[in-house]
Amino acid sequence: MLLLTPGPVQTRPETRAAMAVDIAPWDPDFGREYTMIRERVRDIAGGMAGVHATLPLQGAGHFVVEAAIRTFVPSAGRILVVSNGAYGERMTRLAREAGREPVVLAVPDTRGVLAEEVAEALAADPAISHVGMVYSETGSGVVNDPAAVGAAVRAAGRRLIVDAVSAFGALPFDLKAQPECDVVLFTSNKCLEGLPGIGFAVCPMERTRERAGLAGSWSFDLGDVLRHAERSGWGSFRFTPPVQALHAFGVAMEAYLAEGGQPARLARYTENMRVLRAGAERLGLRPYLDAAHQGPIILTLHQPEAPGFTLAGFVEALKRRGVLISNFYTTPTPTIRIGCIGAVTPDDMRFALGAMAGVLDELGVTRRAA
Ligand SMILES: *Cc1c(COP(=O)(O)O)cnc(C)c1O
């Protein structure tokens, strides 16, 4: 089965095979492996040894996003959330339910936020301490620019939280160039092509240390994750980790570095997207985003307005042809979401396009070449 969802993503056979072992998390061999994973992840984030730390948290991406909000935004504090899609909305909800006060900066999901819009919103409300943003909005596929937004945040003397869950490892990020950034967030599973199970926060240590004990949750306190590492060692965990997923993540990291790291991964995903987008247009499927705003992570297409078409029917028929895509959409109008990330290549995209052509015929959807 070819998995074309923007998380969980298709993984390499050697990454999956690495799961099939028993490991004790306190074993020094695993501790060394885990310490190296933390250092590699920090380096990919543009973090510096002794200044920044990788703080892993068991669970899904939402968990580590919530942990970041609880750790860095003061309780009852105000966070400006850039919202141009489902994940911005999710960050708003996580902040509200954590007792923080989200202020929503609503932006259409068809373009990235402008730095001036963030600057204006911050100037209008001095009580906002943080800006939360999603790097790659996995709803529509639009990309926001953390360096540009970060510059506005820095100029306003505020702090930045970046949900880079669907971007990290493919789109560039340089923590040392963004001193306003409290945390960049991602998971084992998306562009780093590991198995799901663990979230990562890369943070400046000094600020994180100051925030320990203030999250209102022991589980979601990144300051406590750091404190534990400093007391018990970088190879240690507070609570039982998904050891197999971490071990497999180490294997996925080897493949990441062997491929050429971030530039190589971005190039492959961009080519995946280009082939898929051009092919979909040839099938008469209209992209949701203008080419200028199209990110490399996920392609969103308008659902064809044809009597025979339902998303569920399309997804089921594609699955019978060996391709699994997302079975839901989060854009205001009905769309089809196809991931361009994971251990997949442009040839896989060509295969998927062949399957899509067959399915459209099967459903009786007339193919109007664009
Ligand atoms: C996938 C994703 C998440 C986290 O999703 P989980 O299902 O909780 O792992 C968060 N933000 C973005 C932008 C994502 O794409």
Side-chain angles (χ1 to χ4, degrees):
M1 190 67 74
L2 176 61
L3 187 57
L4 295 182
T5 50
V9 300
Q10 178 107 350
T11 54
R12 284 163 207 264
E14 62 269 32
T15 303
R16 291 193 298 276
M19 294 280 286
V21 286
D22 290 314
I23 305 166
W26 46 260
D27 186 314
D29 286 342
F30 178 74
R32 274 188 289 277
E33 195 179 327
Y34 177 42
T35 302
M36 187 164 86
I37 286 173
R38 288 178 111 150
E39 290 170 0
R40 283 184 166 172
V41 164
R42 177 202 62 215
D43 292 348
I44 297 167
M48 292 183 287
V51 178
H52 301 99
T54 303
L55 305 173
L57 191 73
Q58 298 89 336
H62 284 79
F63 294 16
V64 79
V65 176
E66 172 167 351
I69 292 168
R70 286 182 169 275
T71 301
F72 293 105
V73 182
S75 65
R78 213 172 270 184
I79 174 171
L80 180 75
V81 181
V82 174
S83 189
N84 48 358
Y87 288 90
E89 286 168 18
R90 283 154 182 244
M91 193 186 274
T92 300
R93 176 171 174 178
L94 290 171
R96 183 177 300 117
E97 296 201 10
R100 276 64 175 172
E101 196 187 333
V103 177
V104 175
L105 173 56
V107 177
D109 70 351
T110 47
R111 66 163 174 90
V113 69
L114 304 173
E116 305 87 82
E117 293 173 310
V118 173
E120 221 170 273
L122 292 178
D125 190 345
I128 293 170
S129 65
H130 282 75
V131 173
M133 69 175 290
V134 176
Y135 194 165
S136 163
E137 214 348 305
T138 327
S140 68
V142 81
V143 172
N144 295 306
D145 181 352
V149 170
V153 173
R154 193 155 68 236
R158 320 294 170 88
R159 309 288 307 166
L160 183 65
I161 293 175
V162 182
D163 169 354
V165 177
S166 68
F168 191 84
L171 293 169
F173 191 87
D174 190 9
L175 198 52
K176 63 185 166 303
Q178 300 210 228
E180 77 289 350
C181 190
D182 271 345
V183 55
V184 57
L185 303 158
F186 45 94
T187 67
S188 48
N189 177 245
K190 292 187 184 179
C191 302
L192 294 171
E193 299 180 4
L195 279 305
I198 191 127
F200 294 98
V202 184
C203 306
M205 286 195 274
E206 203 177 308
R207 280 197 55 85
T208 310
R209 222 175 268 130
E210 289 165 9
R211 298 296 307 164
L214 302 172
S217 160
W218 182 22
S219 297
F220 286 166
D221 185 347
L222 294 174
D224 192 67
V225 176
L226 176 61
R227 197 153 57 181
H228 179 88
E230 291 186 318
R231 280 185 193 152
S232 308
W234 295 95
S236 74
F237 251 100
R238 295 186 306 166
F239 315 128
T240 303
V243 255
Q244 282 78 7
L246 262 168
H247 178 59
F249 182 72
V251 172
M253 292 288 279
E254 296 289 344
Y256 179 79
L257 298 173
E259 184 177 355
Q262 178 266 321
R265 197 139 295 189
L266 178 60
R268 175 159 57 85
Y269 292 171
T270 302
E271 185 59 7
N272 287 348
M273 184 278 292
R274 196 193 60 75
V275 167
L276 184 64
R277 187 176 159 113
E281 284 184 300
R282 277 196 300 276
L283 294 178
L285 296 168
R286 206 157 46 86
Y288 182 75
L289 295 176
D290 288 345
H293 297 292
Q294 175 66 59
I297 307 301
I298 170 171
L299 178 70
T300 307
L301 301 162
H302 289 285
Q303 290 182 21
E305 284 177 41
F309 187 92
T310 61
L311 182 61
F314 184 71
V315 170
E316 263 307 306
L318 264 183
K319 183 177 162 188
R320 283 195 294 273
R321 289 167 190 262
V323 181
L324 214 47
I325 66 164
S326 204
N327 66 345
F328 66 95
Y329 64 91
T330 61
T331 47
T333 56
T335 51
I336 301 167
R337 312 166 73 228
I338 309 178
C340 305
I341 62 175
V344 294
T345 63
D347 274 340
D348 291 319
M349 296 298 167
R350 290 180 192 103
F351 174 77
L353 285 163
M356 286 160 65
V359 168
L360 290 175
D361 288 345
E362 188 181 311
L363 297 177
V365 178
T366 325
R367 283 162 39 195
R368 303 155 281 111

